[in-house]
Amino acid sequence: SVLAALENIETERDSTLRLVREWEDKEQQMLLSQQIFLGMVASRPQPKEEMVSIIEDLDKAGIRFVYFSPHNPKRAKIMASQMGIETGWNSAVSLLSEDNTSGWTPDEWDARAKLPHGVKEVREHLKNVDNVPLLVALFTDSKPKAVNGMIEVFQENEGVVCAFGSALNALNGPLFQQADIAVAVDAVS
């Protein structure tokens, strides 16, 4: 009676769902089987070939090159190594502060690293430990506010800062103003 009718409805529903799934599978197979894979393109940012020689020339002239990368340490170290920058142990300072929202913590990328993280910790390290954070050539997780803070730190420690960057990036304006010398370049192909 009522129970039998409910069982019959449930059986019909299951049968209908099965037919819909079979139809979807056939439809999907038909769509996929009529496709032609033409190719795939992958790209990644990389430094211009001349960067290595430019950095070497700066070094010969007594000018230390420092790279502020907006990327996490793993990505930043790849780019830095392509430019000839030291990327071994304790060779980078993450400017990611303790109140980050990126989903990873600075200690996850190099558990052995002894360098501070964030501008505030860099200042404390310089005051209480040594000047090693000023000697590295790679700063990762470099957002404009943190870069501006590090420019101030270099200047407070008798560094003369020359900022070099894109004239088309509006975020560079305050950094150029903070630096002692600024060189803004237009995109060159």
Side-chain angles (χ1 to χ4, degrees):
S1 54
V2 174
L3 190 57
L6 288 174
E7 287 178 1
N8 190 24
I9 291 172
E10 190 173 315
T11 304
E12 285 181 30
R13 184 194 63 166
D14 291 344
S15 178
T16 303
L17 286 173
R18 195 172 19 260
L19 287 172
V20 167
R21 285 189 198 115
E22 287 175 11
W23 179 82
E24 286 175 344
D25 289 344
K26 287 179 184 175
E27 205 50 38
Q28 192 175 36
Q29 286 176 352
M30 185 184 79
L31 286 172
L32 292 176
S33 67
Q34 295 176 5
Q35 301 297 314
I36 299 172
F37 181 69
L38 295 176
M40 181 175 9
V41 175
S43 68
R44 64 183 170 97
Q46 59 187 48
K48 298 227 180 247
E49 292 177 22
E50 16 340 302
M51 280 305 296
V52 174
S53 62
I54 290 171
I55 293 169
E56 288 173 353
D57 290 345
L58 289 170
D59 189 53
K60 288 176 189 172
I63 302 169
R64 193 165 69 83
F65 180 84
V66 176
Y67 175 46
F68 287 95
S69 172
H71 302 293
N72 67 45
K74 187 175 182 179
R75 281 186 70 189
K77 282 188 170 194
I78 292 169
M79 180 76 86
S81 69
Q82 292 173 340
M83 291 190 289
I85 297 173
E86 170 63 38
T87 58
W89 176 72
N90 252 12
S91 62
V93 170
S94 170
L95 295 181
L96 194 65
S97 62
E98 289 298 319
D99 58 344
N100 80 79
T101 57
S102 70
W104 74 278
T105 60
D107 292 330
E108 289 176 5
W109 71 277
D110 189 350
R112 301 172 301 153
K114 303 298 181 202
L115 294 174
H117 304 295
V119 177
K120 182 180 176 185
E121 283 189 28
V122 167
R123 287 182 191 278
E124 290 174 16
H125 187 99
L126 293 171
K127 182 179 175 184
N128 301 319
V129 183
D130 58 28
N131 71 337
V132 172
L134 296 178
L135 303 177
V136 300
L138 175 60
F139 291 84
T140 67
D141 306 299
S142 301
K143 306 298 181 240
K145 183 177 178 183
V147 174
N148 209 9
M150 280 308 302
I151 290 173
E152 289 176 5
V153 169
F154 278 109
Q155 291 170 329
E156 290 165 3
N157 288 275
E158 300 180 16
V160 176
V161 177
C162 175
F164 186 89
S166 171
L168 302 176
N169 185 345
L171 297 175
N172 285 341
L175 305 177
F176 292 156
Q177 288 176 335
Q178 179 65 38
D180 299 299
I181 304 165
V183 178
V185 295
D186 198 349
V188 179
S189 55

